[in-house]
Amino acid sequence: MNIEQLTRPHIRDLKPYSSARDEFAGQADIFLDANENSLGSATEEAYNRYPDPLQRAIKAQLAPLKGVRPEQIFLGNGSDEPIDLLFRAFCEPKRDHVITMPPTYGMYQVSADLNQVKVVHVPLTDDFQINIAEVITALRPGTKLVFVCSPNNPSGNLMALASIELILQKAKGLVVVDEAYIDFAPEASLLPLLDRYPNLVVLQTFSKAWGLAGLRLGMAFAHPAVIGVLNKIKPPYNVNGLTQEKALEALAAVAKKDAMVATLLVERTRLAEGLAALPIVGKVYPSDANFLLVRMDDARHRYQQLMGQGTIVRDRSRLALCEGCLRITVGTPAENDALLAQLDALG
Ligand SMILES: Cc1ncc(COP(=O)(O)O)c(C=O)c1O
């Protein structure tokens, strides 16, 4: 795969913005090159200096943790940023198209619409797996991105590896595997496949297992040529200094993340069993993520009733294949107890 050929010509030819910190990233005593406020900040801690545009310290910690090289990592303002940048870099508006597999994460469609790129929908099968024959049939030279969400939001399940690999082998464009929930799954990430498939892009995030949704830090892992294109078109300081600082703090406390994941997995099982025992619950779908898709007797009504008690879940009942379903995030043990008690009282 020739990444240069896949890139939109005007982006291939683009001369990127060169920031002060791009031009000088070394040590010095006096920095008078970026029109910062040398006196300090209007806050207690100092944030008067622009952050590292390429977040090198984070990538140095992340690379060994993920088993990749720093040049295979892009960091963005949430995973939503690399999703949007992939459209802007590789999809010609009104000409190219992407494939998504609904029901799935809504931002692929929104980013496509924003960028005027057509979406070909190949729905998942009834058991929420990739309809591999249909996806292969839908692939065209103009298919620039194929989005695979695994574990999938809102169904919660992992996609079969054999299907993903077949798409990687057949697609002429990039295959974007969104692993936002991979830390909660029993199977490993697809990151080890990066060296075998230059068209693979893996998305992960600090928003779920790491518990840092408020910081907005998303990761894209790919061939260095793809990462180079994303870096070329991103806003210069797309990951702010406070986020970089806090991400480094989190990376030094991996055990804390692992302990939270372990607790959430125990709670997921307990919540699933508790929900399945309720008469108003029809089905709890198996989950490899930190949420459960739950078929209710009357999803809309139950959603409203829970809201009345101060508990907000997600009504997914209007999505194809999710008719009658609520999506429920696994909470703290006390939150899960409260939810089960509220639902029990309704039945
Ligand atoms: C599948 C999937 N990908 C990405 C995201 C967004 O992640 P971030 O907070 O990093 O933008 C979500 C958020 O719910 C998600 O469900």
Side-chain angles (χ1 to χ4, degrees), residues 78-80 105 108 149 153 178 180-181 205 207-208 216-218:
S79 350
D80 294 337
Y105 181 48
Y108 315 139
C149 191
N153 177 6
D178 188 340
Y181 301 98
T205 178
S207 297
K208 311 295 175 185
R216 312 305 304 128
L217 187 58

Side-chain angles (χ1 to χ4, degrees), residues 307-327:
M307 190 160 63
Q309 308 211 36
T311 299
I312 312 301
V313 296
R314 198 83 195 264
D315 180 7
R316 301 277 73 183
S317 59
R318 273 156 298 189
L319 294 182
L321 297 180
C322 298
E323 294 84 3
C325 288
L326 299 178
R327 194 195 68 194

Side-chain angles (χ1 to χ4, degrees), residues 280 296-318 325-328 339 342-343 346:
I280 61 172
M296 310 294 295
D297 57 347
D298 183 346
R300 186 80 204 141
H301 183 51
R302 302 307 182 191
Y303 170 80
Q304 298 284 0
Q305 286 178 313
L306 283 173
M307 190 160 63
Q309 308 211 36
T311 299
I312 312 301
V313 296
R314 198 83 195 264
D315 180 7
R316 301 277 73 183
S317 59
R318 273 156 298 189
C325 288
L326 299 178
R327 194 195 68 194
I328 302 178
L339 174 81
Q342 287 168 359
L343 286 172
L346 299 181

Side-chain angles (χ1 to χ4, degrees), residues 16-299:
Y17 177 73
S18 179
S19 71
R21 279 302 149 269
D22 284 319
E23 287 176 17
F24 184 87
Q27 295 296 319
D29 295 325
I30 301 176
F31 280 99
L32 300 175
D33 58 343
N35 299 346
E36 297 154 334
N37 183 341
S38 293
L39 302 183
S41 309
T43 51
E44 212 157 293
E45 299 85 25
Y47 293 103
N48 53 328
R49 298 298 177 185
Y50 283 104
D52 177 0
L54 289 171
Q55 312 96 20
R56 280 164 271 232
I58 301 176
K59 289 176 188 171
Q61 300 295 315
L62 206 50
L65 189 70
K66 298 290 180 183
V68 301
R69 289 170 279 125
E71 61 271 25
Q72 291 174 301
I73 308 175
F74 172 87
L75 295 174
N77 184 2
S79 350
D80 294 337
E81 183 175 30
I83 291 171
D84 180 62
L85 293 179
L86 286 165
F87 276 98
R88 293 209 270 168
F90 299 107
C91 302
E92 208 57 59
K94 300 182 183 176
R95 201 191 71 189
D96 294 331
H97 66 265
V98 304
I99 293 178
T100 69
M101 303 172 204
T104 193
Y105 181 48
M107 275 308 286
Y108 315 139
Q109 180 76 48
V110 173
S111 263
D113 292 346
L114 266 170
N115 288 288
Q116 295 187 289
V117 173
K118 187 175 164 229
V119 179
V120 174
H121 301 108
V122 182
L124 295 173
T125 59
D126 287 346
D127 58 350
F128 296 119
Q129 278 298 322
I130 296 173
N131 192 330
I132 189 64
E134 299 245 322
V135 172
I136 300 298
T137 307
L139 289 172
R140 298 274 180 283
T143 311
K144 295 301 171 74
L145 305 171
V146 180
F147 286 95
V148 179
C149 191
S150 180
N152 185 46
N153 177 6
S155 54
N157 60 301
L158 281 162
M159 296 297 147
L161 176 61
S163 300
I164 302 177
E165 281 212 67
L166 201 58
I167 300 171
L168 280 163
Q169 286 155 13
K170 301 275 185 197
K172 300 273 186 282
L174 299 176
V175 180
V176 184
V177 181
D178 188 340
E179 294 188 335
Y181 301 98
I182 195 67
D183 300 76
F184 305 103
E187 280 174 37
S189 159
L190 262 56
L191 286 175
L193 297 188
L194 279 181
D195 287 328
R196 208 169 336 143
Y197 297 107
N199 57 337
L200 171 63
V201 179
V202 175
L203 300 178
Q204 293 186 7
T205 178
F206 279 83
S207 297
K208 311 295 175 185
W210 293 89
L212 295 171
L215 290 186
R216 312 305 304 128
L217 187 58
M219 304 164 253
F221 302 92
H223 187 283
V226 174
I227 300 300
V229 175
L230 299 181
N231 280 332
K232 186 174 172 183
I233 65 172
K234 77 182 181 65
Y237 302 109
N238 62 324
V239 177
N240 70 72
L242 184 56
T243 294
Q244 294 198 33
E245 203 178 294
K246 289 289 170 188
L248 283 171
E249 195 180 311
L251 285 165
V254 178
K256 186 165 180 195
K257 183 261 296 174
D258 291 341
M260 290 196 288
V261 170
T263 300
L264 290 169
L265 292 183
V266 170
E267 283 299 301
R268 183 177 76 194
T269 304
R270 194 175 71 85
L271 184 60
E273 288 170 0
L275 288 166
L278 297 173
I280 61 172
V281 168
K283 175 168 181 162
V284 180
Y285 287 86
S287 171
D288 301 312
N290 67 339
F291 57 85
L292 296 166
L293 187 70
V294 186
R295 184 152 280 147
M296 310 294 295
D297 57 347
D298 183 346

